[in-house]
Structures are given as structure tokens and as C-alpha cells.
Amino acid sequence: MRNRKISIFDTTLRDGEQTPGVSLTPEQKIEIAHQLSKLGVDTIEAGFPIASAGDMESVRNIANAGLTSEVCGLARVLTKDLDTCIDAGVGMIHTFVSTSDIQRIHTIKKSREEVVEMSVNAVQYIKDHGMRCMFSAMDATRTDLDYLIEVYKAVEDAGCDIINVPDTVGIIAPSGMYRLISKLDKEMNIPIDTHCHNDFGLAVANSLMAIEAGASQAQVTVNGLGERAGNADLAETVMSLHSIYGAKTNINTEYIVETARMVERYTGVQIPPHMPIVGENAFAHESGIHTHGVLENSDTFEPGIMTPEMVGHTRRIVLGKHAGKHAVLRSLQSANINPTDAQLDAIIKKVKMLADKGKRITDADLYTIAFDILGRPEGMPPIDLKEVSVMTGNITTSTAVVKALFNGKECVASNVGVGPVDAALKAVETLIGQHAKVTIHDFRIEAVTGGSDALAEVVIGVQNDKGRIVTARAANVDIVLASVEALVTAINMLLKT
């Protein structure tokens, strides 16, 4: 595996969009496609053009966008599907048909011989039009092996460029995937690709086993999106290949987190905090033992072969009931707060008391506690929020106006967003952009009480151009005001310390 070159085929815009509740606009799709090309994926499956006019438009736009990645369209083994892909101008057509008995009999209602004939005809049609072809035997892992080999060899003889082995319902074990690909690799003379679903949480493991066994390409999605439980996650697959196996890909790993957050924003599917590599907690530490070790040498409680910088992430020391002296002191020193040993002990005691009440300790909480114990006046904040006004449109666009004093001088800024919270936060960013460069790093909303008048608590983090992150919280019955107040508090702390 070491130094082997593995290709990455991304299907976020096709299978990823099949995630229940996800529907991307053509504009969002083209932006994600540009980001995937920047990331360095070898092939982008842009969509299923026959599915809708919008999908056709998106695939055509992506195919004509001048991306460095190859652009692929999906098609059944039907001439009308293939023609739609050809009309869209893609460089590769990914054609598929069910081969397992359960799908073949109950869905397409074709005999084994008919499936072979349809597959060969589709591949020949694609090649006659001078295009690259990938063929998938859908539900391959539940297909009789001898018949599966027969189908794959038939399309190979017809001129297919690469075969895909889909674990369509996510039921194969990693050891089974290894055996399957090993057998296919001995039979085939063209590259093997895999498409693994995550129904049992094995999609990445199965993709890696397939590559160990001889596959040269893995199909993935950003954030593991896809039908049911999703697909093999791009970040986990790529970083396992790079860091554990020593294999090579064309992925520019420093853009992995940036890409994950773009897809999170456009799909509305939040990245779980504990998600490997791209989650908020992927490189976060709270335990006193862990933070002490990481502050001395990050390899003590991190993989070492993968650092946050490699994927565009940041290491965070999180304060809570398990926080140790080293973590609290380092957090204070990063804000130019230098307590004595006695003062530090008092600060830690208050931090733990607050954490024992179930509160997440933000940087603003820590600094407020420190100022209280050190007897240092906080003084006037750089930003003194005066007014927030929001106008909501009749579709999705909202407009917000924010008025504040910045170091005593009145400033007004406005912006639009998808909903009132988004518009208000963007207005604050616009206002601050005139004086300092900060960006929103993370954002979380929680309902503290029940009912229509629930108190909303917002925790928000901001980052400056030097990579320093400060978090703050605010609670209000008005979720817009809570969001703005939390953002302003975080920015004030970032600018003051």
C-alpha cells in the first residue's frame, strides 16, 4: 500500500444529495463542484441528468465549468439516460444495472441473460460516442460471484474503462470485501472502484479493505452523506490512506475541513462534534491528563501521523470539570492574563463549579471569572451594541441592520441572509470588517426552556486572522438577539485580550 496512488471519486452531488431532506440548488452545486476541484478529487459525479431538469442544468454547468477534476454523469443502462449524459457534456458516464437476484427479479424484472446484454449494449453505446465509461453491477455484494464475474468480464470485453463494485445496502463485512475484490482483481484487466454504504458503520473500513485487496479507486462523499446511513466519508477514507497506509492521492488535505463546512452549510446537515477529522471536537481536549500531555507534545494524545494543520483544522483546549491547571493557565496566557498560583487555583475552582452545573465553559466565561478574581476592571468593550433590526422577506431572504459604538464611534451596517439569524450575524461581520478581520468559527443554538417563549442559548466562536479562537454565549427569548449578543461578546473578548 505504501506509495500506491489511489484515485478519489466524489459523489456528494449525486448520492450525497440523495440524503433525505437534502436538495441543492444549481448555484450551490456549482460552488461545491469548484470546491471539490480545489480539493483535488479525481472525478466528480455531478448528478443524475435524467432525474430532473434542474439536475440536467447542474450537470451541464459543472461539465462546462473548466474544472481540473473529471466530471461524470450517472445513467441507467437505457439509451435515453445515456443520451442525456452525452447532451450534458460530461467526460465520463457511470452506467449501472441491478445484478443481484433480489433486485433483478423484483425491480427491473429481467433475466440474467438480459442484464448482461443490456450492460454490454450500454457500454458499447458510450464507447461509440468516444466517452469514458464506468460500469456498476448494482448490489454487487449480494450477487452470485460467478454471475458477477460474468457481467464484469462482458463489459470489459465491450470496452469499459473501469468497473465499480457497489455495496449497495451496506451489508458486507470488511473481510468479505477483501475476499471479493481479491477474486475480482484476479479476473479483471481494468481498474476496480468501490462504492460502500454505511448501514453498519463499515463504509470506510470496506473501502480500505477493497483498496488493500487491489481496488485503485474509492467512491466517497463529503461528511459521509448519502442514502440511508450514507456513504464512505471522504475525510476518513483519504486521511486513513495518507496517514495509516502511506498511500498517495491527489487530495489537497488542507482544504478538507473547509470543504466539509461548505457542504454542511449548503445541505443543512450538521457535522456531529465528535465526527473524526472534521468535527468540532476532532482535535479538542478537556481532560487534565490529556491537555497536559498535548500542551507538552501533541503526539501524546493525538495520532501524530495526522495533525489538525494537515486537514485545515485547529487544536482546541476545552475547559470543563475535567480541566487541569496547565490547560486553564495556557488559555489565560493566550489572552495576556497571568494569574499567580493562588489566583489560578481560585479561577479553576470557579470554572469547575460552573461546569458541575452542566454549563459549557466559553472563553468569555473564563475571562470574566479571571477578571473578577484578579480584580481587573473589564472597562468599556470595543463594541457597544445599540440596536438590531431585522426584516424578513416572504420567501427566504432576510435583511438586518446593526447599530453599535465601536471604540466610542457610531457605526451602522446591514446585510442579507437566509433567515433573520444569518442576516443579523452577517450584518455584525460587515460592521466589524471595517475595523478588524474576524470570522465565525462555530455556532450552536440550544433551547434552554420549553414552549413557544423558550429561552434560546447561543454559543458562538470567532477566529481572528492569526488563528486565535474565542467562544462566548448569550441567552434570550429572541434567538436573533441571543445570536448577535453572543457574537459581539466573543469579538469583544478577542479584541480586548
Side-chain angles (χ1 to χ4, degrees):
M1 285 287 288
R2 186 159 293 279
N3 295 321
R4 267 186 65 195
K5 189 65 176 288
I6 307 301
S7 297
I8 301 300
F9 180 109
D10 183 273
T11 183
T12 303
L13 297 177
R14 200 276 300 169
D15 204 331
E17 197 192 19
Q18 291 173 209
T19 302
V22 170
S23 182
L24 298 167
T25 67
E27 293 75 22
Q28 290 170 334
K29 281 192 169 186
I30 194 72
E31 283 194 49
I32 292 173
H34 277 287
Q35 181 68 26
L36 291 171
S37 185
K38 174 183 174 182
L39 182 63
V41 302
D42 297 280
T43 304
I44 297 170
E45 190 164 50
F48 193 4
I50 197 71
S52 70
D55 229 30
M56 177 64 174
E57 177 190 354
S58 296
V59 174
R60 180 182 283 123
N61 289 343
I62 293 168
N64 294 327
L67 306 178
T68 56
S69 303
E70 178 180 49
V71 177
C72 174
L74 184 70
R76 293 166 296 183
V77 288
L78 302 175
T79 302
K80 62 180 181 179
D81 283 36
L82 302 174
D83 284 339
T84 307
C85 280
I86 293 167
D87 291 344
V90 297
M92 171 190 272
I93 296 178
H94 176 194
T95 189
F96 69 97
V97 66
S98 295
T99 55
S100 68
D101 287 345
I102 190 168
Q103 288 195 0
R104 180 180 56 77
I105 294 169
H106 295 287
T107 60
I108 60 174
K109 304 184 188 305
K110 300 291 183 180
S111 69
R112 286 188 170 190
E113 293 73 22
E114 287 175 311
V115 167
V116 173
E117 182 181 4
M118 293 167 67
S119 302
V120 168
N121 289 342
V123 171
Q124 289 177 336
Y125 192 82
I126 294 167
K127 298 309 294 182
D128 286 346
H129 284 80
M131 303 178 71
R132 278 175 37 82
C133 174
M134 172 187 282
F135 173 80
S136 285
M138 190 158 71
D139 207 16
T141 54
R142 292 195 296 179
T143 300
D144 173 74
L145 180 58
D146 290 338
Y147 178 61
L148 184 64
I149 292 171
E150 178 188 343
V151 175
Y152 281 142
K153 289 187 75 67
V155 296
E156 178 183 42
D157 291 342
C160 187
D161 296 287
I162 181 170
I163 60 164
N164 175 47
V165 182
D167 184 22
T168 304
V169 294
I171 50 82
I172 200 166
S175 56
M177 178 62 86
Y178 185 91
R179 289 192 298 270
L180 174 60
I181 300 300
S182 295
K183 290 173 182 175
L184 291 174
D185 190 45
K186 291 174 184 176
E187 299 285 344
M188 307 303 298
N189 296 308
I190 56 176
I192 298 173
D193 171 58
T194 58
H195 177 100
C196 298
H197 276 267
N198 206 38
D199 296 74
F200 287 91
L202 297 173
V204 172
N206 282 329
S207 299
L208 296 174
M209 284 297 97
I211 291 168
E212 275 198 32
S216 58
Q217 180 168 278
Q219 293 198 11
V220 297
T221 59
V222 178
N223 301 337
L225 295 175
E227 290 275 5
R228 304 183 313 281
N231 293 268
D233 175 65
L234 182 150
E236 294 171 28
T237 304
V238 168
M239 293 313 298
S240 294
L241 288 170
H242 284 212
S243 298
I244 297 175
Y245 288 95
K248 297 182 182 299
T249 73
N250 287 323
I251 298 296
N252 302 306
T253 62
E254 65 272 22
Y255 300 125
I256 283 178
V257 171
E258 178 182 294
T259 305
R261 288 177 179 161
M262 172 186 279
V263 171
E264 176 188 43
R265 187 167 66 252
Y266 286 156
T267 62
V269 180
Q270 290 194 332
I271 299 170
H274 63 281
M275 188 169 184
I277 302 169
V278 301
E280 182 184 345
N281 295 342
F283 297 95
H285 305 270
E286 180 183 322
S287 164
I289 295 171
H290 282 229
T291 54
H292 185 192
V294 166
L295 291 172
E296 290 294 322
N297 184 331
S298 61
D299 287 1
T300 54
F301 287 99
E302 287 180 1
I305 51 177
M306 178 179 68
T307 66
E309 293 78 17
M310 287 170 65
V311 297
H313 216 321
T314 52
R315 181 177 295 107
R316 294 190 306 119
I317 303 301
V318 179
L319 302 181
K321 66 174 69 178
H322 306 108
K325 181 176 290 188
H326 291 85
V328 176
L329 181 60
R330 180 66 65 89
S331 296
L332 291 170
Q333 288 176 337
S334 69
N336 296 315
I337 301 172
N338 298 288
T340 64
D341 287 344
Q343 290 170 332
L344 180 60
D345 289 340
I347 292 169
I348 292 172
K349 184 177 179 180
K350 282 201 170 186
V351 165
K352 289 178 181 278
M353 285 176 60
L354 189 59
D356 278 335
K357 295 178 181 178
K359 292 291 185 181
R360 175 181 174 182
I361 311 300
T362 67
D363 296 301
D365 295 327
L366 175 64
Y367 302 155
T368 299
I369 291 169
F371 290 145
D372 181 53
I373 290 173
L374 270 61
R376 290 169 51 182
E378 295 189 46
M380 284 295 294
I383 307 166
D384 184 9
L385 186 65
K386 293 298 183 184
E387 185 179 336
V388 179
S389 300
V390 179
M391 294 166 285
T392 303
N394 59 358
I395 305 177
T396 57
T397 304
S398 296
T399 304
V401 179
V402 175
K403 182 187 292 185
L405 295 178
F406 192 93
N407 291 329
K409 182 180 178 181
E410 185 176 284
C411 300
V412 179
S414 64
N415 212 323
V416 296
V418 182
V421 172
D422 185 44
L425 295 181
K426 285 180 177 177
V428 174
E429 287 186 281
T430 300
L431 186 146
I432 301 307
Q434 304 168 19
H435 310 279
K437 188 175 181 181
V438 298
T439 56
I440 296 176
H441 180 267
D442 53 85
F443 178 81
R444 181 176 300 172
I445 299 173
E446 297 176 2
V448 180
T449 58
S452 59
D453 59 346
L455 187 68
E457 184 176 71
V458 173
V459 178
I460 198 165
V462 296
Q463 184 173 16
N464 64 14
D465 54 354
K466 295 180 181 178
R468 183 170 171 233
I469 300 169
V470 169
T471 57
R473 75 155 54 82
N476 200 302
V477 291
D478 187 324
I479 196 170
V480 176
L481 287 179
S483 302
V484 171
E485 288 166 1
L487 178 57
V488 168
T489 300
I491 295 172
N492 278 332
M493 289 294 180
L494 190 62
L495 296 177
K496 283 180 62 179
T497 56

